[in-house]
Amino acid sequence: MGMPVDEQGVNQGENLTLACRNALLNMMGLLQQRGYTREQAYVICSVAVDLRISNVVDVPNYVVSALLPEDIFQG
């Protein structure tokens, strides 16, 4: 998941672009922990990750989720 928080830890309010970026970076980190290189994780995210806005109720704390179907790894 990603929230609109920049590198300095400052909440950027309703910045969905930043929340999406953070969600993708978190997914890439998870894939790297599972043995993929950064480049492989980037490619997997670019073709298979779906971003969804998970929470807009607590404005300005938007939450974006990065979803990756595990069945792409079978086969």
Side-chain angles (χ1 to χ4, degrees), residues 1-64:
M1 287 197 290
M3 292 184 64
V5 177
D6 64 19
E7 289 85 11
Q8 290 78 33
V10 177
N11 188 337
Q12 294 293 325
E14 299 174 3
N15 188 339
L16 283 175
T17 301
L18 182 58
C20 290
R21 177 183 182 273
N22 289 340
L24 284 172
L25 289 174
N26 288 335
M27 178 60 75
M28 288 176 59
L30 178 63
L31 288 168
Q32 289 174 7
Q33 289 175 4
R34 298 203 175 167
Y36 293 94
T37 66
R38 182 167 179 82
E39 292 79 15
Q40 289 171 325
Y42 183 87
V43 171
I44 292 168
C45 288
S46 71
V47 297
V49 167
D50 184 26
L51 295 175
R52 296 194 182 153
I53 299 171
S54 302
N55 184 358
V56 294
V57 176
D58 298 322
V59 173
N61 298 315
Y62 291 165
V63 176
V64 174

